Amino acid sequence: MRSPARKTKRMGFIVPSINVIAEDDFIAMSPPDVGVHFARADVDRGRPLQEQFQQMVDAAPNLAASLAKAGVGVCAFACTSASFFKGVGFDQAIAQAMRAASGIECMTTSTAVLEALQAVGAHRIGLATPYVRWVVEAERQFFTQSGIEVVAANGLERHGGSDINTIDDETIRAQALAV
Protein backbone atom coordinates (compact mmCIF):
# COMPACT_ATOMS: atom_id res chain seq x y z
CA MET A 1 0.00 0.00 0.00
CA ARG A 2 1.34 3.39 -1.00
CA SER A 3 1.41 6.04 1.63
CA PRO A 4 -0.35 9.28 0.72
CA ALA A 5 1.70 12.33 -0.22
CA ARG A 6 2.79 14.28 2.83
CA LYS A 7 0.65 17.38 3.27
CA THR A 8 2.97 20.36 3.70
CA LYS A 9 0.23 22.98 3.52
CA ARG A 10 -3.31 23.02 4.86
CA MET A 11 -6.41 24.97 3.81
CA GLY A 12 -9.66 25.23 5.72
CA PHE A 13 -13.14 25.75 4.35
CA ILE A 14 -16.37 26.57 6.14
CA VAL A 15 -19.25 25.08 4.16
CA PRO A 16 -23.00 25.07 4.79
CA SER A 17 -24.08 21.90 6.58
CA ILE A 18 -26.42 21.09 3.67
CA ASN A 19 -23.72 21.32 0.98
CA VAL A 20 -22.54 17.91 -0.21
CA ILE A 21 -20.63 19.08 -3.29
CA ALA A 22 -17.97 21.57 -2.16
CA GLU A 23 -15.79 19.12 -0.27
CA ASP A 24 -15.33 16.74 -3.19
CA ASP A 25 -14.62 19.66 -5.54
CA PHE A 26 -12.09 21.37 -3.26
CA ILE A 27 -10.25 18.11 -2.60
CA ALA A 28 -10.19 17.21 -6.32
CA MET A 29 -8.75 20.63 -7.27
CA SER A 30 -6.05 20.70 -4.58
CA PRO A 31 -2.43 19.78 -5.26
CA PRO A 32 -1.29 16.50 -3.63
CA ASP A 33 0.79 18.29 -0.97
CA VAL A 34 -2.15 20.41 0.25
CA GLY A 35 -4.42 19.12 2.99
CA VAL A 36 -8.03 20.27 2.71
CA HIS A 37 -10.08 20.50 5.91
CA PHE A 38 -13.69 21.41 6.51
CA ALA A 39 -16.02 22.76 9.17
CA ARG A 40 -19.77 22.74 8.64
CA ALA A 41 -21.88 25.77 9.47
CA ASP A 42 -25.25 24.60 10.71
CA VAL A 43 -28.31 25.60 8.71
CA ASP A 44 -31.78 25.60 10.24
CA ARG A 45 -33.90 24.94 7.15
CA GLY A 46 -37.03 25.97 9.08
CA ARG A 47 -35.89 29.59 9.14
CA PRO A 48 -36.10 32.15 6.29
CA LEU A 49 -33.10 32.07 3.96
CA GLN A 50 -31.72 35.42 5.21
CA GLU A 51 -31.69 34.02 8.75
CA GLN A 52 -29.99 30.85 7.56
CA PHE A 53 -27.28 32.95 5.93
CA GLN A 54 -26.83 35.04 9.09
CA GLN A 55 -26.67 31.87 11.20
CA MET A 56 -23.70 30.67 9.11
CA VAL A 57 -22.02 34.08 9.21
CA ASP A 58 -22.38 34.21 13.00
CA ALA A 59 -20.76 30.77 13.33
CA ALA A 60 -17.85 31.55 10.96
CA PRO A 61 -15.39 33.09 13.47
CA ASN A 62 -15.59 30.10 15.86
CA LEU A 63 -15.39 27.63 12.99
CA ALA A 64 -12.32 29.42 11.59
CA ALA A 65 -10.69 29.26 15.04
CA SER A 66 -11.42 25.53 15.17
CA LEU A 67 -9.85 24.98 11.75
CA ALA A 68 -6.81 27.02 12.79
CA LYS A 69 -6.24 24.51 15.60
CA ALA A 70 -5.89 21.84 12.89
CA GLY A 71 -2.94 23.77 11.47
CA VAL A 72 -4.58 25.33 8.42
CA GLY A 73 -2.74 28.37 7.10
CA VAL A 74 -5.73 29.95 5.40
CA CYS A 75 -9.48 29.61 5.77
CA ALA A 76 -12.33 30.44 3.40
CA PHE A 77 -15.98 31.04 4.21
CA ALA A 78 -17.40 28.98 1.35
CA CYS A 79 -21.03 30.00 1.26
CA THR A 80 -21.00 32.55 -1.52
CA SER A 81 -24.58 33.77 -1.06
CA ALA A 82 -24.15 34.34 2.66
CA SER A 83 -21.02 36.38 2.00
CA PHE A 84 -22.70 38.92 -0.31
CA PHE A 85 -26.37 39.01 0.73
CA LYS A 86 -25.86 42.18 2.81
CA GLY A 87 -23.96 44.02 0.07
CA VAL A 88 -20.47 45.21 -0.70
CA GLY A 89 -18.11 45.03 2.24
CA PHE A 90 -20.04 42.31 4.05
CA ASP A 91 -17.63 39.73 2.64
CA GLN A 92 -14.72 41.69 4.09
CA ALA A 93 -16.43 42.01 7.47
CA ILE A 94 -16.91 38.23 7.63
CA ALA A 95 -13.26 37.62 6.74
CA GLN A 96 -12.09 40.17 9.34
CA ALA A 97 -14.16 38.54 12.09
CA MET A 98 -12.75 35.14 11.12
CA ARG A 99 -9.16 36.50 11.15
CA ALA A 100 -9.67 38.09 14.56
CA ALA A 101 -10.94 34.81 16.03
CA SER A 102 -8.45 32.49 14.34
CA GLY A 103 -5.23 34.43 13.90
CA ILE A 104 -4.88 33.15 10.30
CA GLU A 105 -5.56 34.61 6.88
CA CYS A 106 -9.24 34.30 5.95
CA MET A 107 -11.44 35.20 3.01
CA THR A 108 -14.83 34.52 1.48
CA THR A 109 -15.73 32.94 -1.84
CA SER A 110 -17.32 36.16 -3.11
CA THR A 111 -14.07 38.02 -2.34
CA ALA A 112 -12.13 35.31 -4.20
CA VAL A 113 -14.41 35.63 -7.23
CA LEU A 114 -13.90 39.41 -7.31
CA GLU A 115 -10.13 38.97 -7.07
CA ALA A 116 -10.17 36.35 -9.84
CA LEU A 117 -12.20 38.62 -12.12
CA GLN A 118 -9.78 41.48 -11.47
CA ALA A 119 -6.79 39.20 -12.10
CA VAL A 120 -8.04 38.33 -15.60
CA GLY A 121 -9.21 41.88 -16.34
CA ALA A 122 -12.91 41.03 -16.51
CA HIS A 123 -15.17 44.06 -16.28
CA ARG A 124 -18.38 42.54 -17.69
CA ILE A 125 -19.93 39.24 -16.67
CA GLY A 126 -23.03 37.12 -17.02
CA LEU A 127 -24.37 35.38 -13.91
CA ALA A 128 -25.73 31.85 -14.06
CA THR A 129 -26.67 30.69 -10.57
CA PRO A 130 -28.86 28.10 -8.89
CA TYR A 131 -30.31 30.75 -6.57
CA VAL A 132 -33.75 32.20 -6.00
CA ARG A 133 -34.59 35.61 -7.51
CA TRP A 134 -33.75 37.86 -4.53
CA VAL A 135 -30.35 36.16 -4.08
CA VAL A 136 -29.57 36.62 -7.79
CA GLU A 137 -30.45 40.30 -7.44
CA ALA A 138 -28.24 40.64 -4.33
CA GLU A 139 -25.39 39.03 -6.27
CA ARG A 140 -25.95 41.36 -9.22
CA GLN A 141 -25.81 44.37 -6.87
CA PHE A 142 -22.67 43.02 -5.14
CA PHE A 143 -20.81 42.78 -8.45
CA THR A 144 -22.18 46.06 -9.83
CA GLN A 145 -21.20 47.96 -6.67
CA SER A 146 -17.77 46.32 -6.92
CA GLY A 147 -17.25 47.81 -10.40
CA ILE A 148 -18.22 44.74 -12.46
CA GLU A 149 -20.94 45.22 -15.09
CA VAL A 150 -23.50 42.40 -15.02
CA VAL A 151 -24.89 42.09 -18.54
CA ALA A 152 -27.19 39.14 -17.84
CA ALA A 153 -28.31 37.18 -14.80
CA ASN A 154 -30.32 34.02 -14.39
CA GLY A 155 -31.17 31.90 -11.37
CA LEU A 156 -32.69 28.43 -11.36
CA GLU A 157 -34.95 29.25 -8.38
CA ARG A 158 -33.40 26.45 -6.30
CA HIS A 159 -33.84 26.71 -2.55
CA GLY A 160 -30.63 25.15 -1.23
CA GLY A 161 -29.50 21.75 -0.02
CA SER A 162 -30.57 18.81 -2.14
CA ASP A 163 -32.46 21.21 -4.41
CA ILE A 164 -29.11 22.69 -5.49
CA ASN A 165 -26.93 19.62 -4.95
CA THR A 166 -28.89 17.60 -7.52
CA ILE A 167 -28.63 19.97 -10.50
CA ASP A 168 -27.33 17.90 -13.40
CA ASP A 169 -24.50 18.93 -15.72
CA GLU A 170 -26.79 19.42 -18.72
CA THR A 171 -28.94 21.92 -16.80
CA ILE A 172 -25.81 23.83 -15.77
CA ARG A 173 -24.51 23.87 -19.37
CA ALA A 174 -27.87 25.03 -20.76
CA GLN A 175 -28.17 27.80 -18.18
CA ALA A 176 -24.61 29.03 -18.82
CA LEU A 177 -25.23 29.09 -22.58
CA ALA A 178 -28.52 30.95 -22.10
CA VAL A 179 -26.83 33.65 -20.04
Side-chain angles (χ1 to χ4, degrees), residues 82-93:
S83 66
F84 66 64
F85 87 106
K86 287 191 175 178
V88 171
F90 190 58
D91 56 325
Q92 297 295 331

Side-chain angles (χ1 to χ4, degrees), residues 80 82 92 145:
T80 309
Q92 297 295 331
Q145 293 170 358

Side-chain angles (χ1 to χ4, degrees), residues 14 17 40-61 63 77 82 85-86 90:
I14 298 168
S17 61
R40 290 186 163 278
D42 192 26
V43 176
D44 180 350
R45 296 289 308 272
R47 298 167 82 177
L49 194 52
Q50 293 94 327
E51 290 180 22
Q52 292 176 42
F53 288 166
Q54 191 62 51
Q55 180 184 12
M56 289 183 281
V57 168
D58 292 345
L63 293 171
F77 180 74
F85 87 106
K86 287 191 175 178
F90 190 58

Side-chain angles (χ1 to χ4, degrees), residues 88-89 91-92 108-120 122 125 142-148:
V88 171
D91 56 325
Q92 297 295 331
T108 72
T109 47
S110 60
T111 307
V113 169
L114 279 178
E115 290 179 7
L117 291 170
Q118 291 166 353
V120 299
I125 62 170
F142 175 81
F143 282 116
T144 300
Q145 293 170 358
S146 298
I148 305 291

